[in-house]
Amino acid sequence: MLPATATATATTAAAATLGGPLAPVLQARSSRVRRVTARRGIARYKYKKPRKPTVTVKARIDSAGVSLAARGFLRSQKSYTPPENVVERIDRICESQTILVNDDTKLEDPVLRFKLFVACEKEFKHSVPNSLLYTIESIGDLKQFYSTSVDSTTPYEALSRIDLPKNLHIQQNYHRFHPDTDTMFNGKTAFPKSSTLVTGLKYKKKYSGHTQDNPWLDEQMKI
């Protein structure tokens, strides 16, 4: 039995040789044979199991570092001014913990490191952040840390402390309207439909909110 492709080829050749009224019938049969052969070829490879693409997982540490660095001065931290006798006070803490006061003394014992850092935190009211614990390997590193000042002043706050031009003014705090304190126009606001709502827990104690009455609503209620 001849294959379907050979049959289609033979049918086409016969149609070209015979000609006449049978030629269209033979050509139509040849085209149907080609379509059936093509569908069988597609069905043969349709259920072939595809290969899984190789996916390379990139490390996410770099992206996390970039995200932390982008926060900049917005990270919350407390200011710290080192005292003048910071070295002597650390030496006394080391002596109470039976640790050599030499700067080359290594802090390898985790229990000893914990007790020393807790004692220094109580003494200076300033703790070592987790991101800098690995940098303190000796007593000299600990003294250097507590001898370094920490300034939490933002660039925006620093602008208000310098001599600015007369046409430039820095307003640090918000100015919120309240009819009890803004009495220049007898407690009237330029935005009668806007209320001053303080929703944050941090600023509720600092700023007082105000719900503005709607005069147009009162007039409509009377109608």
Side-chain angles (χ1 to χ4, degrees), residues 73-189:
F73 60 87
L74 295 179
R75 289 176 290 178
S76 58
Q77 54 183 353
K78 296 181 180 180
S79 301
Y80 169 72
T81 302
E84 298 180 356
N85 59 343
V86 60
V87 177
E88 291 78 3
R89 294 167 71 174
I90 292 179
D91 290 342
R92 289 197 298 267
I93 295 174
C94 293
E95 292 176 356
S96 63
Q97 299 288 340
T98 64
I99 303 174
L100 297 178
V101 296
N102 298 331
D103 293 347
D104 298 334
T105 303
K106 296 294 183 179
L107 301 175
E108 298 178 351
D109 187 3
V111 178
L112 186 63
R113 286 170 60 90
F114 177 77
K115 292 181 179 180
L116 180 60
F117 292 162
V118 169
C120 291
E121 180 181 358
K122 293 180 179 180
E123 180 70 20
F124 299 103
K125 301 298 185 294
H126 180 57
S127 60
V128 181
N130 295 335
S131 59
L132 297 178
L133 287 174
Y134 75 98
T135 61
I136 300 178
E137 299 178 353
S138 61
I139 297 298
D141 298 336
L142 184 64
K143 293 179 179 179
Q144 182 179 1
F145 172 79
Y146 279 99
S147 300
T148 304
S149 60
V150 177
D151 187 9
S152 61
T153 303
T154 63
Y156 185 77
E157 295 174 349
L159 286 175
S160 61
R161 300 179 182 179
I162 62 177
D163 295 333
L164 299 174
K166 295 182 179 180
N167 60 343
L168 182 61
H169 176 70
I170 302 298
Q171 181 177 335
Q172 294 187 12
N173 300 322
Y174 298 103
H175 181 74
R176 296 177 178 269
F177 172 81
H178 198 279
D180 297 338
T181 56
D182 299 327
T183 57
M184 180 177 293
F185 298 100
N186 297 325
K188 294 182 179 181
T189 176

Side-chain angles (χ1 to χ4, degrees), residues 3-24:
T5 306
T7 305
T9 306
T11 304
T12 305
T17 304
L18 295 176
L22 295 177

Side-chain angles (χ1 to χ4, degrees), residues 28-57:
R29 181 182 177 184
S30 175
S31 61
R32 286 197 298 271
V33 172
R34 289 195 184 95
R35 289 197 294 269
V36 172
T37 305
R39 285 196 294 269
R40 288 178 179 175
I42 294 173
R44 185 183 303 172
Y45 296 98
K46 182 177 180 181
Y47 299 99
K48 187 177 181 180
K49 188 176 181 180
R51 295 181 179 179
K52 294 183 179 180
T54 304
V55 180
T56 303
V57 181

